[in-house]
Amino acid sequence: NIDLLKAEIVRQGLTISKVAAAIGVSDATLYSRFSKASGKPFSLELASKLSQYLGLSPDTAFNIFLKNN
């Protein structure tokens, strides 16, 4: 659920660009995953990096990256 991920980034006072830099990916890579039109899923590695950086609980990470909403 991309909306939950976006909300968490905003809640922490971050931007997609800041998160991308912190986890070592390009802005373009992260923005493309946030675009519903691209249809590109988050890789396990990228989901793991985001979860760790944002301090997501296992339940929250599951709801964002794995649960089909």
Side-chain angles (χ1 to χ4, degrees), residues 6 8 10 25-26 36 55-56:
K6 287 179 183 177
E8 183 61 27
V10 170
V25 299
S26 70
K36 293 178 182 177
L56 302 178

Side-chain angles (χ1 to χ4, degrees), residues 5 8-9 11-12 14 19 23 46-62 64-65:
L5 184 56
E8 183 61 27
I9 289 170
R11 187 187 72 74
Q12 293 190 29
L14 300 168
V19 172
I23 64 171
L46 184 54
S48 178
K49 286 180 178 183
L50 285 165
S51 296
Q52 289 177 6
Y53 179 71
L54 296 172
L56 302 178
S57 71
D59 286 341
T60 300
F62 175 84
I64 290 172
F65 298 109

Side-chain angles (χ1 to χ4, degrees), residues 12-54:
Q12 293 190 29
L14 300 168
T15 64
I16 293 174
S17 293
K18 286 181 184 177
V19 172
I23 64 171
V25 299
S26 70
D27 288 6
T29 296
L30 205 50
Y31 276 108
S32 72
R33 298 315 183 274
F34 277 84
S35 170
K36 293 178 182 177
S38 78
K40 292 183 179 180
F42 285 87
S43 67
L44 183 57
E45 179 183 5
L46 184 54
S48 178
K49 286 180 178 183
L50 285 165
S51 296
Q52 289 177 6
Y53 179 71
L54 296 172

